[in-house]
């Protein structure tokens, strides 16, 4: 797999966590321990879900392989459109207090798309043991930066983190288009 594409995919997958982290940074009182817990939770979830999707997809590879380019395109298109639609619907952050259960729930919610992407990684001939840690580290770093930015820029960007989610959805759609074009060439 092209490592540049993997890096773009990791950034795109982390955009949900990035957006939530900006919101968390704006609405929660955080110390370093909480920042690392939130970013770590998002990173671990984003890294684990593609592995689960990859291996679930491998159970059905005989049925999927003739259609893998089309399937990858459709999944990435659906995920990208869903990210854009969700971002347009929810153009503001809601307030909440820090709690471990809410952060774990956010981690699962922001990584569901990574589960579906894990299936597409199978058709892209990716070494999942390289891809998953890259996705996890990129998500961790971007989430940590987003938390810090949310804390510092609370007044300036309040309610506008959805723009990052729209960009992430668009990048996923573009990666899907690239895959479908390459499968027919």
């Amino acid at each position: 797999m092209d490592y540049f594409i993997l890096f773009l995919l990791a950034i795109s997958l982390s955009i949900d966590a990035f957006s939530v982290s900006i919101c968390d940074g704006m609405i929660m009182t955080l110390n370093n321990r909480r920042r690392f817990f939130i970013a770590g939770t998002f990173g671990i979830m984003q890294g684990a879900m593609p592995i689960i999707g990859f291996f679930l997809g491998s159970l059905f590879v005989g049925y999927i392989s003739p259609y893998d380019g089309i399937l990858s395109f459709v999944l990435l298109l659906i995920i990208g459109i869903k990210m854009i639609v969700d971002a347009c619907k929810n153009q503001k952050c809601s307030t909440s207090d820090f709690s471990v259960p809410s952060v774990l729930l956010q981690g699962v919610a922001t990584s569901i798309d990574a589960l579906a992407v894990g299936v597409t990684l199978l058709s892209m001939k990716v070494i999942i043991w390289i891809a998953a840690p890259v996705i996890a580290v990129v998500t961790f770093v971007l989430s940590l930066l987003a938390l810090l930015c949310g804390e510092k820029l609370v007044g300036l960007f309040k309610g506008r983190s959805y723009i990052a989610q729209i960009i992430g959805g668009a990048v996923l759609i573009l990666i899907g288009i690239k895959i479908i074009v390459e499968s027919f060439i």
Side-chain angles (χ1 to χ4, degrees), residues 48-58 114-120 122 128:
M49 290 296 199
I51 294 171
I52 294 167
F54 186 86
F55 286 108
L56 285 176
S58 69
L115 180 72
V117 168
V119 176
T120 68
L122 184 63
I128 194 65

Side-chain angles (χ1 to χ4, degrees), residues 99-112:
S99 73
V100 172
S102 70
V103 171
L104 293 175
L105 185 59
Q106 287 175 349
V108 171
T110 59
S111 63
I112 294 297

Side-chain angles (χ1 to χ4, degrees), residues 3-37:
Y3 288 104
F4 180 70
I5 295 296
L6 176 58
F7 185 69
L8 285 178
L9 182 64
I11 289 172
S12 296
L13 287 174
S14 69
I15 292 300
D16 284 349
F18 180 86
S19 299
V20 170
S21 294
I22 287 176
C23 293
D24 286 351
M26 286 194 271
I27 63 174
M28 292 182 187
T29 303
L30 300 173
N31 56 26
N32 282 338
R33 185 174 175 207
R34 288 178 175 180
R35 284 183 201 102
F36 280 96
F37 179 78

